[in-house]
Coordinates of all heavy atoms in Angstrom, one line a residue:
T1394 N 103.7 118.0 72.1 CA 103.2 118.6 73.4 C 102.0 117.8 73.9 O 101.1 117.4 73.1 CB 102.8 120.1 73.2 OG1 104.0 120.8 72.7 CG2 102.4 120.7 74.5
G1395 N 101.9 117.7 75.2 CA 100.7 117.1 75.8 C 100.0 118.2 76.7 O 100.6 119.2 77.0
Y1396 N 98.8 117.9 77.0 CA 98.0 118.9 77.7 C 97.1 118.3 78.8 O 96.7 117.1 78.7 CB 97.0 119.7 76.7 CG 97.8 120.3 75.5 CD1 97.8 119.6 74.3 CD2 98.4 121.5 75.7 CE1 98.5 120.2 73.2 CE2 99.0 122.1 74.6 CZ 99.1 121.5 73.4 OH 99.7 122.0 72.3
L1397 N 96.8 119.1 79.8 CA 95.8 118.7 80.7 C 94.9 119.9 81.0 O 95.3 120.9 81.6 CB 96.5 118.2 82.1 CG 95.5 117.7 83.1 CD1 94.9 116.4 82.7 CD2 96.2 117.5 84.5
Q1398 N 93.7 119.8 80.5 CA 92.7 120.8 80.7 C 92.0 120.5 82.0 O 91.4 119.5 82.2 CB 91.7 120.9 79.5 CG 90.6 121.9 79.7 CD 91.1 123.3 79.7 OE1 91.9 123.7 78.8 NE2 90.6 124.2 80.6
M1399 N 92.0 121.5 82.9 CA 91.4 121.3 84.2 C 90.3 122.3 84.4 O 90.5 123.5 84.5 CB 92.5 121.5 85.3 CG 93.7 120.5 85.1 SD 94.8 120.6 86.5 CE 95.4 122.3 86.4
N1400 N 89.1 121.8 84.6 CA 87.9 122.7 84.8 C 87.3 122.4 86.1 O 87.6 121.4 86.8 CB 86.9 122.5 83.7 CG 87.4 122.8 82.3 OD1 88.2 123.7 82.1 ND2 86.9 122.1 81.3
S1401 N 86.5 123.3 86.6 CA 85.8 123.1 87.9 C 86.7 122.8 89.0 O 86.5 121.8 89.8 CB 84.7 122.1 87.8 OG 83.7 122.4 86.8
L1402 N 87.8 123.5 89.1 CA 88.9 123.2 90.0 C 88.4 123.3 91.5 O 87.6 124.2 91.8 CB 90.1 124.1 89.8 CG 90.9 123.6 88.6 CD1 91.8 124.7 88.1 CD2 91.7 122.4 88.9
K1403 N 88.9 122.5 92.3 CA 88.6 122.5 93.7 C 89.8 122.7 94.6 O 90.9 122.4 94.1 CB 87.9 121.1 94.1 CG 86.7 120.7 93.3 CD 86.3 119.3 93.6 CE 85.1 118.9 92.8 NZ 84.7 117.5 93.1
P1404 N 89.7 123.2 95.8 CA 90.9 123.3 96.6 C 91.7 122.0 96.8 O 92.9 122.1 96.9 CB 90.3 123.8 98.0 CG 89.0 124.5 97.6 CD 88.5 123.8 96.4
E1405 N 91.0 120.9 96.8 CA 91.7 119.6 96.9 C 92.5 119.3 95.7 O 93.3 118.3 95.7 CB 90.8 118.5 97.3 CG 89.5 118.4 96.4 CD 88.3 119.1 97.0 OE1 88.5 120.2 97.5 OE2 87.2 118.5 96.9
D1406 N 92.4 120.0 94.6 CA 93.2 119.8 93.4 C 94.6 120.5 93.6 O 95.5 120.3 92.7 CB 92.6 120.3 92.2 CG 91.3 119.6 91.8 OD1 91.3 118.3 91.9 OD2 90.3 120.2 91.4
T1407 N 94.8 121.2 94.6 CA 96.1 121.9 94.9 C 97.2 120.9 95.0 O 97.1 120.0 95.8 CB 96.0 122.8 96.1 OG1 95.0 123.8 95.9 CG2 97.3 123.4 96.4
A1408 N 98.2 121.1 94.2 CA 99.4 120.1 94.2 C 100.4 120.6 93.1 O 100.1 121.5 92.4 CB 98.9 118.7 93.8
V1409 N 101.5 120.0 93.2 CA 102.5 120.1 92.0 C 102.1 119.0 91.0 O 101.9 117.8 91.4 CB 103.9 119.9 92.5 CG1 104.9 119.9 91.3 CG2 104.3 120.9 93.5
Y1410 N 101.9 119.4 89.8 CA 101.5 118.5 88.7 C 102.7 118.2 87.8 O 103.5 119.1 87.4 CB 100.4 119.2 87.9 CG 99.1 119.1 88.6 CD1 98.8 119.9 89.7 CD2 98.0 118.3 88.1 CE1 97.6 119.9 90.3 CE2 96.8 118.2 88.8 CZ 96.6 119.0 89.8 OH 95.4 118.9 90.5
Y1411 N 102.8 116.9 87.6 CA 104.0 116.4 86.8 C 103.4 115.7 85.5 O 102.5 114.9 85.6 CB 104.8 115.4 87.6 CG 105.4 115.9 88.8 CD1 104.7 115.9 90.1 CD2 106.7 116.5 88.8 CE1 105.3 116.4 91.2 CE2 107.3 117.0 90.0 CZ 106.6 116.9 91.2 OH 107.1 117.4 92.3
C1412 N 104.1 115.9 84.4 CA 103.8 115.0 83.3 C 104.9 114.0 83.2 O 106.0 114.2 83.7 CB 103.7 115.8 82.0 SG 105.2 116.5 81.4
A1413 N 104.6 112.8 82.6 CA 105.5 111.7 82.6 C 105.3 111.0 81.3 O 104.2 111.0 80.7 CB 105.3 110.8 83.7
A1414 N 106.4 110.3 80.8 CA 106.3 109.5 79.6 C 106.8 108.1 79.8 O 107.7 107.8 80.6 CB 107.3 110.2 78.6
S1415 N 106.1 107.2 79.1 CA 106.4 105.7 79.2 C 106.5 105.1 77.9 O 105.7 105.4 77.0 CB 105.3 105.0 80.0 OG 105.4 103.6 80.0
Q1416 N 107.5 104.3 77.7 CA 107.7 103.7 76.4 C 107.4 102.2 76.4 O 107.6 101.5 75.3 CB 109.2 103.9 75.9 CG 110.2 103.3 76.9 CD 111.6 103.6 76.5 OE1 111.9 103.8 75.3 NE2 112.5 103.7 77.4
F1417 N 106.9 101.7 77.5 CA 106.7 100.2 77.6 C 105.3 99.8 77.1 O 104.4 99.7 77.9 CB 107.0 99.8 79.0 CG 108.4 100.0 79.5 CD1 108.6 101.0 80.4 CD2 109.4 99.3 78.9 CE1 109.9 101.2 80.8 CE2 110.7 99.6 79.3 CZ 111.0 100.5 80.3
R1418 N 105.2 99.5 75.8 CA 103.9 99.2 75.3 C 103.3 97.9 75.9 O 102.1 97.7 76.0 CB 104.0 99.0 73.8 CG 104.2 100.3 73.1 CD 104.3 100.1 71.6 NE 104.6 101.4 70.9 CZ 103.6 102.2 70.4 NH1 102.3 101.8 70.5 NH2 103.9 103.3 69.8
G1419 N 104.2 97.0 76.3 CA 103.7 95.7 76.8 C 103.1 95.8 78.1 O 102.3 94.9 78.5
T1420 N 103.4 96.8 78.9 CA 102.9 96.8 80.3 C 102.0 98.1 80.6 O 101.3 98.1 81.6 CB 104.0 96.8 81.3 OG1 104.9 97.9 81.0 CG2 104.8 95.5 81.2
W1421 N 102.1 99.1 79.8 CA 101.5 100.4 80.1 C 100.0 100.3 80.3 O 99.5 100.9 81.3 CB 101.8 101.4 79.0 CG 101.3 102.7 79.4 CD1 101.8 103.7 80.2 CD2 100.1 103.3 78.9 NE1 101.0 104.8 80.3 CE2 99.9 104.6 79.5 CE3 99.1 102.9 78.0 CZ2 98.9 105.4 79.2 CZ3 98.0 103.7 77.7 CH2 97.9 105.0 78.3
Y1422 N 99.3 99.5 79.5 CA 97.8 99.5 79.6 C 97.4 99.0 81.0 O 96.4 99.4 81.5 CB 97.2 98.8 78.5 CG 97.2 99.5 77.2 CD1 98.2 99.4 76.2 CD2 96.2 100.5 76.9 CE1 98.3 100.1 75.1 CE2 96.2 101.2 75.7 CZ 97.3 101.0 74.8 OH 97.3 101.7 73.7
A1423 N 98.2 98.0 81.5 CA 97.8 97.5 82.8 C 98.3 98.3 84.0 O 97.8 98.2 85.1 CB 98.4 96.1 82.9
R1424 N 99.4 99.1 83.7 CA 100.0 99.8 84.8 C 100.1 101.3 84.5 O 100.9 102.0 85.1 CB 101.5 99.3 84.9 CG 101.5 97.9 85.5 CD 102.9 97.3 85.3 NE 104.0 98.2 85.8 CZ 104.4 98.3 87.0 NH1 103.8 97.5 88.0 NH2 105.4 99.1 87.3
K1425 N 99.2 101.9 83.8 CA 99.2 103.3 83.4 C 99.0 104.2 84.6 O 99.4 105.4 84.5 CB 98.1 103.6 82.4 CG 96.7 103.2 82.8 CD 95.7 103.2 81.7 CE 94.4 102.6 82.1 NZ 94.5 101.2 82.2
S1426 N 98.5 103.8 85.7 CA 98.4 104.7 86.8 C 99.5 104.5 87.8 O 99.4 105.1 88.9 CB 97.0 104.4 87.5 OG 97.0 103.1 88.0
V1427 N 100.5 103.7 87.5 CA 101.6 103.4 88.4 C 102.8 104.3 88.2 O 103.3 104.4 87.0 CB 102.0 101.9 88.3 CG1 103.2 101.6 89.2 CG2 100.8 101.0 88.6
V1428 N 103.3 105.0 89.2 CA 104.4 105.9 89.0 C 105.6 105.2 88.4 O 106.2 105.8 87.5 CB 104.8 106.5 90.4 CG1 106.1 107.3 90.3 CG2 103.6 107.5 90.9
A1429 N 105.9 104.0 88.9 CA 107.1 103.3 88.4 C 107.0 102.9 86.9 O 108.0 102.5 86.4 CB 107.3 102.1 89.3
E1430 N 105.8 103.0 86.3 CA 105.7 102.6 84.9 C 106.3 103.7 84.0 O 106.6 103.4 82.8 CB 104.2 102.4 84.6 CG 103.9 102.0 83.2 CD 104.5 100.6 82.8 OE1 104.8 99.8 83.8 OE2 104.6 100.3 81.6
Y1431 N 106.6 104.9 84.5 CA 107.0 106.0 83.7 C 108.5 106.2 83.9 O 109.0 106.3 85.0 CB 106.2 107.2 84.0 CG 104.8 107.1 83.7 CD1 103.9 106.4 84.5 CD2 104.3 107.6 82.4 CE1 102.5 106.2 84.1 CE2 103.0 107.4 82.1 CZ 102.1 106.8 82.9 OH 100.8 106.6 82.5
D1432 N 109.2 106.4 82.7 CA 110.6 106.5 82.7 C 111.1 107.9 82.8 O 112.2 108.2 83.3 CB 111.2 106.0 81.4 CG 110.6 104.7 81.0 OD1 111.1 103.7 81.5 OD2 109.6 104.7 80.2
Y1433 N 110.3 108.9 82.3 CA 110.8 110.3 82.2 C 109.7 111.2 82.8 O 108.5 111.0 82.6 CB 111.0 110.6 80.7 CG 112.0 109.7 80.0 CD1 111.5 108.7 79.2 CD2 113.3 109.8 80.3 CE1 112.4 107.8 78.6 CE2 114.2 109.0 79.7 CZ 113.7 108.0 78.8 OH 114.6 107.1 78.2
W1434 N 110.2 112.2 83.5 CA 109.4 113.1 84.3 C 109.8 114.5 84.1 O 111.0 114.8 83.9 CB 109.5 112.8 85.8 CG 108.9 111.5 86.1 CD1 109.5 110.2 86.1 CD2 107.6 111.2 86.7 NE1 108.6 109.3 86.5 CE2 107.4 109.8 86.8 CE3 106.5 112.0 87.0 CZ2 106.3 109.2 87.3 CZ3 105.3 111.5 87.5 CH2 105.2 110.1 87.6

């Protein structure tokens, strides 16, 4: 299980939140913020 603890929430945090998993060790550190880097949602 993974978690996201969210404190001091603001109205602009309103959204649908998705978790995602990536298995590509060779590229993940450079592309960890890129949607396409993740295989499973």
